[in-house]
Amino acid sequence: MADQAYVTLATNDNYAKGAMVLGRSLRNHNTTKQLVVLIGPHVAEPCRAMLSSIYDEVCVVDILDSGDTAHLALMKRPELGVTFTKLHCWTLTHYTKCVFMDADTLVLSNIDELFEREELSAAPDPGWPDCFNSGVFVFKPSNETYLSLMTHCTEKGSFDGGDQGVLNSFFNTWSTADISKHLPFIYNLSSIAIYTYLPAFKQYGHEAKVVHFLGKVKPWNYSYDTQTGKVKGHTLTPGSGDLHPDFLVQWWNLYSSGVLPALRDSYGDTLFC
Ligand code: UDP
Ligand code: MN
């Protein structure tokens, strides 16, 4: 479907690696939707080229150079810069419906059925389940919504300093109004939740469709031994705050088989990202 797309965001080369793996995982599970990545102006050329080979559209989003009022108002709030960039997805009005996915998510099976949902559909946040987690959400691009979001952003700010705070106060009836907008948790399984309720993970974890490497440490912060297929620097101790070893290995398998060889072919061993 040419008028429906998955959208992600990478403002730097590290998150670009995440976007490459996410894009590959969507392709591997035979999505019929378009793939769009919003990138920051500092993403290096080899990363852009790699992203272009995976995504249908690579849109450079420059949050610093613009002179329009929305940008200027936000520039007084530099901490909202990345937030702003994510909200930019509402301007993709050549699509009628989209699913936004954080660059630190990995798709484990086809999830195209998400496009049957309406704006704003998302899964509960594991830390405060009356809030939705903004790592995966269904939305409808609209310049009008975008402008309202910008106004909301500049007038009210963000209660958590990030996009999740803005989006939850903007779509503030999510928790009560319509249960069909609550995505099952398996569409946004955060690594954090695995260890806080291990029996539930044991019961339902095999049904996971999207894993979200939420938190400070991301898969690309580890390194990987291609000979042994093992992730280095991982303690493999559940509860240690580390990412789940199986999902981490899946991320690295995809990165080392589906992304690195092409980067090496094009740019040799001196990888820019
Ligand atoms: N992001 C980005 N550059 C940054 C920080 C975040 O491009 O420096 C994007 C990226 O798509 C990322 C999303 O914003 O997945 C949300 O940030 P993150 O995933 O780090 O937050 P968490 O899910 O850990 O709360
Ligand atoms: Mn995330």
Side-chain angles (χ1 to χ4, degrees), residues 1-8 27 32-38 55-59 88-100 115 119 139-143:
M1 270 250 224
D3 64 342
Q4 299 185 334
Y6 289 98
V7 182
T8 191
R27 295 267 182 234
T32 61
K33 313 299 176 185
Q34 298 288 293
L35 302 189
V36 180
V37 58
L38 307 175
Y55 284 79
D56 298 293
E57 236 191 294
V58 179
C59 305
H88 208 89
C89 67
W90 263 274
T91 65
L92 297 167
T93 52
H94 47 301
Y95 299 106
T96 55
K97 197 183 279 181
C98 295
V99 172
F100 182 90
F115 288 83
E119 176 175 282
F139 70 101
K140 186 173 171 47
S142 146
N143 286 322

Side-chain angles (χ1 to χ4, degrees), residues 8-12 15 82 86 100 102-104 163 212-215 218:
T8 191
L9 163 69
T11 62
N12 58 43
Y15 280 94
V82 168
K86 199 189 236 192
F100 182 90
D102 268 9
D104 60 345
D163 58 279
H212 184 182
F213 298 100
L214 184 146
K218 302 298 187 195

Side-chain angles (χ1 to χ4, degrees), residues 108-109 186 189 199-210 247:
L108 307 175
S109 63
I186 53 167
L189 176 67
F201 177 68
K202 288 192 171 140
Q203 179 76 3
Y204 303 114
H206 65 279
E207 296 171 16
K209 288 172 186 267
V210 178
F247 295 135

Side-chain angles (χ1 to χ4, degrees), residues 68-77 154:
D68 77 35
T69 44
H71 284 86
L72 283 174
L74 271 150
M75 273 160 60
K76 286 186 228 140
R77 305 187 52 108
T154 46

